[in-house]
């Protein structure tokens, strides 16, 4: 005896497409509902301010800079197309390019690891619970909201060889004054110290990452008898690795463009000891009035940052722990 399927009532349900209509519809094409189309139009309208700002202040200036990098232009008259001459001169006949690049790389190599370690360390201290922690967090974040020029002028007095605070403290313990800003040996460490003072903005991001780590992981580590160092290596560091990658890339982009500190305090001296790449671009464009050549230098700096960022991001799968990916692989 053949079973008869029960009859299901379709009253009150939206009309279903007929087999003929489904056959006419191209495969792979999904029909969007009127509500979805209204949402798409609304979303497109909401992003218009950002889109206009991006075109006016980012995309178009970048396009113009790329064009000018192939020209000889002093800022007046029409640019003269010279092809790759600017780039050829940069790599074959420009000692200041290599000097500024060397200074910038030394600064990045010193500052970036220290800022990552110091930011994470202070954030872990700030993640503890005790009375007055909000005040300490505010104090550490304050330098990040101050004007870069004002802070640089202040640090110029702090590093003064005869009247500076740092040399005054060193003199108390018998260490002679250090020529922080007048010595090629000490000028980069001085700027590194000054930059580390403003590490508060990264602490806020680290704090957000630390507070997102499930407490169950620490409880499990405690049950296993793990000490502080093992807990840090097995729980904190892997869970914070995506945040560290973010801080690394943001720090890399910002550090390669350091400008204000050298411009205000040292003007690139002594003897080009703090002549950063951005300062060289500024001098080339607005002192020498070689805007075409300055645009070529800017493109080279952009390419360097892009390549290094791509290398770090491309190798991140080997050392960054993504909990979502781990769940998919199970």
């Amino acid at each position: 005896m053949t079973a008869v399927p029960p009859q299901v009532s379709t009253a009150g349900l939206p009309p279903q497409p007929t087999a003929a209509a489904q056959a006419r519809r191209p495969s792979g094409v999904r029909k969007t509902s009127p509500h979805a189309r209204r949402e798409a139009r609304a979303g497109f309208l909401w992003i218009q301010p950002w889109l206009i700002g991006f075109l006016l202040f980012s995309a178009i200036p970048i396009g113009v800079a790329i064009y000018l990098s192939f020209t000889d232009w002093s800022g007046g008259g029409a640019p003269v197309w010279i092809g790759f001459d600017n780039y050829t001169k940069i790599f074959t006949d420009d000692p200041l390019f290599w000097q500024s690049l060397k200074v910038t790389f030394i600064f990045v190599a010193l500052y970036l690891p220290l800022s990552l370690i110091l930011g994470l360390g202070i954030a872990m201290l700030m993640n503890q619970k005790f009375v007055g922690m909000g005040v300490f967090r505010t104090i550490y974040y304050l330098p990040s909201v101050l004007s870069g020029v004002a802070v640089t002028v202040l640090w110029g007095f702090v590093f003064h060889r005869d009247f500076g605070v740092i040399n005054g403290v060193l003199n108390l313990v018998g260490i002679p004054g250090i020529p922080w800003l007048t010595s090629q040996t000490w000028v980069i460490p001085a700027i590194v110290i000054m930059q580390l003072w403003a590490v508060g903005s990264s602490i806020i991001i680290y704090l957000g990452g630390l507070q997102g780590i499930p407490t169950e992981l620490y409880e499990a580590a405690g049950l296993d008898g793990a000490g502080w160092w093992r807990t840090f290596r097995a729980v904190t560091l892997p869970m914070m690795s995506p945040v560290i990658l973010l801080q690394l890339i943001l720090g890399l982009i910002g550090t390669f463009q350091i400008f204000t500190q050298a411009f205000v305090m040292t003007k690139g001296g002594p003897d080009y000891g703090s002549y950063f790449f951005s300062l060289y671009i500024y001098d080339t464009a607005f002192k020498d009035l070689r805007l075409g050549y300055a645009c070529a230098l800017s493109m080279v700096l952009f390419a360097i940052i892009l390549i290094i960022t791509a290398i770090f991001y491309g190798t991140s799968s080997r050392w960054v722990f993504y909990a979502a990916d781990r769940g998919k692989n199970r």
Side-chain angles (χ1 to χ4, degrees), residues 10 23-24 29 60 68 72 86 110 248-249 254 276 283 293 329:
T10 58
R24 289 195 299 270
V29 177
I60 294 177
L68 290 177
D72 182 12
N86 284 333
L110 289 175
L248 176 63
I249 292 178
F276 292 108
D283 286 346
Y293 194 72
N329 295 331

Side-chain angles (χ1 to χ4, degrees), residues 204-249:
I204 299 299
I205 300 176
Y206 279 127
L207 270 175
L210 288 170
Q211 294 180 0
I213 299 176
T215 56
E216 293 82 0
L217 297 178
Y218 290 111
E219 293 172 356
L223 292 175
D224 289 342
W228 177 87
W229 176 244
R230 188 179 172 189
T231 302
F232 173 76
R233 289 186 57 190
V235 177
T236 305
L237 203 55
M239 296 300 291
M240 288 295 292
S241 56
V243 181
I244 295 173
L245 174 64
L246 171 68
Q247 298 279 38
L248 176 63
I249 292 178

Side-chain angles (χ1 to χ4, degrees), residues 293-313:
Y293 194 72
C295 288
L297 289 170
S298 301
M299 291 302 109
V300 172
L301 178 61
F302 172 75
I304 291 172
I305 295 175
L306 183 65
I307 291 171
I308 297 177
T309 302
I311 291 173
F312 278 118
Y313 190 77

Side-chain angles (χ1 to χ4, degrees), residues 272-291:
Y272 297 103
S274 61
Y275 202 56
F276 292 108
F277 202 100
S278 297
L279 188 57
Y280 180 39
I281 294 174
Y282 173 83
D283 286 346
T284 303
F286 301 108
K287 288 186 176 180
D288 302 338
L289 295 179
R290 294 186 297 159
L291 273 76

Side-chain angles (χ1 to χ4, degrees), residues 237-273:
L237 203 55
M239 296 300 291
M240 288 295 292
S241 56
V243 181
I244 295 173
L245 174 64
L246 171 68
Q247 298 279 38
L248 176 63
I249 292 178
L250 292 179
L252 191 69
I253 295 172
T255 307
F256 264 101
Q257 301 178 68
I258 182 172
F259 172 79
T260 305
Q261 294 76 3
F263 180 75
V264 174
M265 285 199 309
T266 64
K267 304 296 182 186
D271 196 16
Y272 297 103

